[in-house]
Amino acid sequence: MPLASIHHVSYIYPDGTAALSDISFTIEHGEKIALIGNNGSGKSTLLYLLGALLLPSKGSISLEGIALSRTTKSALRKNVGMLFSQVEYQFIMPDCLNDVMLSIREGTKEERKEQAMQYLRHVNLDAYFNHNPLFLSSGQMKRAALASVLAKKPALLLLDEPLASLDKPSSRAVLDILTSHTIAMLFATHSRHAVESLAQRVIVLDGGCIVYDGSPKSRDAKKHFENILL
Amino acid sequence: MNAFLMAKLLTAILAFLFCAIPSQMSILHTASCLFLCAMFIYRIPGFHRTRVLILVPFIITIAGMQFLSSSQPREYHQIAVTAIKIFCTGSIVISARFFIGTEAVKWLAHALPHTAGIFLLIFLRTFHYLFRLNTMIIFQLSSRLNLASKEKYYIPKYYSIAMLYNQFRAMHLYRNGFLSRSVAEISEPEIFFSESSFDRTLVLLVIIIASLYIILHA
Ligand SMILES: Nc1ncnc2c1ncn2[C@@H]1O[C@H](COP(=O)(O)OP(=O)(O)OP(=O)(O)O)[C@@H](O)[C@H]1O
Ligand SMILES: [Mg+2]
């Protein structure tokens, strides 16, 4: 059974904008998929749907065999980790350490603290453990949010432009962190480097439809890269 | 919770009450209020001390209203008392943020029922976000308006619009960000203790002054 399946999904925003139309694909366990497309092609919308933050207007989505619906959405959210393109809205605690600890459900306080410190060390922010994440630089902030998301141990990781506003060392650091995990990932990006170093598969969106789904190495894929990626 | 953190919390409340409650203030009492308040303001680090300026428009508005509606000289004394009270209590509240820190909030969020705790944390987070936004909006407006000309008077107007608009625009971002975290419960937080000798002095001072006041009045 695939980890997630998306079956003839369409999404129309309340103001009438048709963001996605008739999308179908499946995500296997451990698969790393790049989601590319021009601005406004529906990448973020697709991620919100998989993150159970929106419900499809048509079609169905299921994760680990559970179909997404009004009644199952909060259960599904527990198994999905989401890194938004604007990460400043996803912090809850006033310092990095406690924010990561909030994502860890099991263990005594000491164990959770030790684990949280490990995640912070993993994203190279252990020196900032008592800083307010909102007052970090944007690259550090992204890594702090990533630590909290990973600490949730999600079955599926959704990343919306994880490399936007990062410099070369930080991008490399984030890519290394993502490579070191075997979690299934779907990441929207405009960076050629991210696609080439991380993706095992690429999905290309155009105007809310999938126009390519397959290996990043094929000639068709390269043609799309020319038009879309930086 | 750490005993010293609790002592700081109580100290701030005690100092607040000491300045807020008495309606007739003696010279000695006024002087001790101002002294305590100066100590609290001194506790605010660096340029954050400018936050006390927020109190000035309040004082001008409220004391101004009283002045307009008063007729006898005896009431002028009362106006001064009001102004001093607003200044002292206000600056104690502002500096309490630095004196106690966010540590007490984390502890409270854990102690309160789940929904109330989450609400408290989100509320605090929104404030931090606003302080950040405040800087950005001021920078961006300053870069687009010519501050040397009359245009600078547009700042408050555009500032309020930008602030409000940003909050409305961000509503669904707040919602998404929070829901995606799916927080089941707020488990016991890690609290970072800081114990400076200045803080210890301040706690002692407030206790001494408040007890002297109570003894003198008993
Ligand atoms: N909250 C909203 N209300 C109405 N329409 C929206 C909303 N958010 C996005 N849209 C519309 O849905 C379409 C897809 O937007 P989406 O944000 O998914 O694009 P994207 O691929 O993530 O683009 P980008 O690369 O710029 O992030 C766009 O036409 C956009 O105008
Ligand atoms: Mg987007």
Side-chain angles (χ1 to χ4, degrees):
Chain A
M1 190 175 65
L3 172 65
S5 63
I6 293 88
H7 194 68
H8 295 295
V9 164
S10 300
Y11 187 80
I12 300 173
Y13 274 101
D15 67 356
T17 314
L20 292 175
S21 43
D22 199 20
I23 302 271
S24 297
F25 65 97
T26 57
I27 302 174
E28 299 298 330
H29 289 271
E31 205 173 20
K32 294 189 169 63
I33 309 178
L35 186 60
I36 68 174
N38 290 323
N39 290 142
S41 56
K43 301 182 296 296
S44 302
T45 310
L46 182 54
L47 295 180
Y48 292 160
L49 281 164
L50 277 164
L53 295 166
L54 297 175
L55 294 175
S57 311
K58 252 191 239 145
S60 64
I61 294 179
S62 65
L63 186 75
E64 297 184 305
I66 305 171
L68 169 62
S69 72
R70 213 165 280 283
T71 47
T72 57
K73 61 184 182 194
S74 23
L76 289 185
R77 281 178 200 142
K78 291 205 172 79
N79 291 328
V80 189
M82 185 128 187
L83 189 74
F84 292 84
S85 52
Q86 285 146 306
V87 289
E88 47 268 57
Y89 298 100
Q90 64 186 100
F91 298 108
I92 292 178
M93 282 290 189
D95 55 76
C96 294
L97 181 66
N98 277 294
D99 200 70
V100 178
M101 279 170 76
L102 200 62
S103 299
I104 303 173
R105 301 225 175 79
E106 276 137 38
T108 63
K109 187 183 157 198
E110 281 311 308
E111 285 164 6
R112 290 188 303 113
K113 183 183 164 193
E114 192 38 52
Q115 272 193 44
M117 273 317 272
Q118 269 171 24
Y119 280 105
L120 284 178
R121 231 170 280 139
H122 187 44
V123 299
N124 203 5
L125 278 181
D126 42 338
Y128 291 86
F129 73 97
N130 59 357
H131 284 235
N132 190 321
L134 286 177
F135 295 93
L136 296 175
S137 81
S138 50
Q140 293 168 332
M141 208 193 277
K142 200 148 258 184
R143 281 183 282 144
L146 188 59
S148 297
V149 171
L150 288 172
K152 209 175 145 184
K153 296 214 174 83
L156 174 63
L157 196 55
L158 304 168
L159 308 138
D160 201 349
E161 311 192 15
L163 303 186
S165 83
L166 297 189
D167 64 2
K168 209 162 191 170
S170 300
S171 316
R172 200 165 297 148
V174 168
L175 285 176
D176 285 345
I177 293 166
L178 295 178
T179 314
S180 70
H181 284 266
T182 52
I183 314 170
M185 295 174 195
L186 181 63
F187 59 99
T189 187
H190 294 120
S191 143
R192 179 186 282 267
H193 182 60
V195 175
E196 282 170 353
S197 63
L198 195 59
Q200 298 154 352
R201 177 179 157 196
V202 197
I203 293 179
V204 184
L205 282 179
D206 187 13
C209 300
I210 294 184
V211 293
Y212 177 83
D213 181 354
S215 155
K217 300 213 163 68
S218 79
R219 192 184 300 170
D220 272 357
K222 301 269 187 234
K223 212 156 58 197
H224 287 299
F225 292 179
E226 277 313 311
N227 296 331
I228 296 168
L229 298 182
L230 283 174
Chain B
M1 188 167 71
N2 172 293
F4 188 59
L5 188 56
M6 186 74 101
K8 283 206 241 182
L9 193 63
L10 292 176
T11 302
I13 295 173
L14 189 62
F16 181 88
L17 294 179
F18 181 70
C19 296
I21 288 181
S23 60
Q24 288 298 318
M25 287 169 94
S26 64
I27 301 273
L28 188 62
H29 187 181
T30 313
S32 4
C33 281
L34 285 174
F35 173 67
L36 279 184
C37 151
M39 296 290 277
F40 269 96
I41 293 177
Y42 183 70
R43 179 63 183 77
I44 306 178
F47 68 87
H48 292 299
R49 229 166 268 167
T50 52
R51 289 188 191 174
V52 175
L53 290 179
I54 291 176
L55 296 171
V56 175
F58 273 106
I59 294 175
I60 292 178
T61 317
I62 297 175
M65 293 286 197
Q66 277 196 350
F67 179 76
L68 288 179
S69 60
S70 62
S71 50
Q72 301 153 324
R74 194 171 51 84
E75 289 176 12
Y76 296 148
H77 172 73
Q78 201 54 44
I79 296 174
V81 170
T82 312
I84 290 171
K85 269 191 188 180
I86 298 177
F87 183 72
C88 291
T89 50
S91 49
I92 288 172
V93 168
I94 291 172
S95 64
R97 154 70 186 82
F98 298 97
F99 179 53
I100 308 168
T102 50
E103 306 309 307
V105 175
K106 282 192 287 190
W107 173 78
L108 252 177
H110 169 59
L112 287 172
H114 178 69
T115 318
I118 285 283
F119 179 79
L120 187 66
L121 287 173
I122 301 269
F123 189 69
L124 181 74
R125 203 270 316 262
T126 310
F127 263 93
H128 287 145
Y129 184 73
L130 285 181
F131 280 131
R132 210 177 81 103
L133 195 62
N134 172 58
T135 321
M136 284 327 295
I137 291 180
I138 292 286
F139 285 174
Q140 292 181 10
L141 283 180
S142 322
S143 77
R144 298 190 56 188
L145 298 174
N146 179 5
L147 291 189
S149 77
K150 259 203 224 152
E151 281 185 13
K152 69 167 172 266
Y153 299 113
Y154 289 131
I155 287 196
K157 178 180 152 202
Y158 288 125
Y159 175 85
S160 348
I161 294 174
M163 206 65 167
L164 274 178
Y165 182 73
N166 249 296
Q167 290 309 298
F168 281 127
R169 189 191 63 105
M171 279 306 176
H172 71 281
L173 297 177
Y174 278 121
R175 171 191 168 273
N176 285 347
F178 174 64
L179 290 180
S180 78
R181 296 291 302 273
S182 57
V183 183
E185 52 158 2
I186 306 169
S187 35
E188 198 186 339
E190 177 67 19
I191 291 181
F192 309 118
F193 300 114
S194 64
E195 233 182 288
S196 70
S197 57
F198 184 84
D199 285 358
R200 253 171 276 145
T201 317
L202 195 50
V203 169
L204 271 181
L205 265 178
V206 171
I207 294 174
I208 293 173
I209 292 181
S211 15
L212 275 180
Y213 178 81
I214 293 171
I215 292 169
L216 284 179
H217 279 252

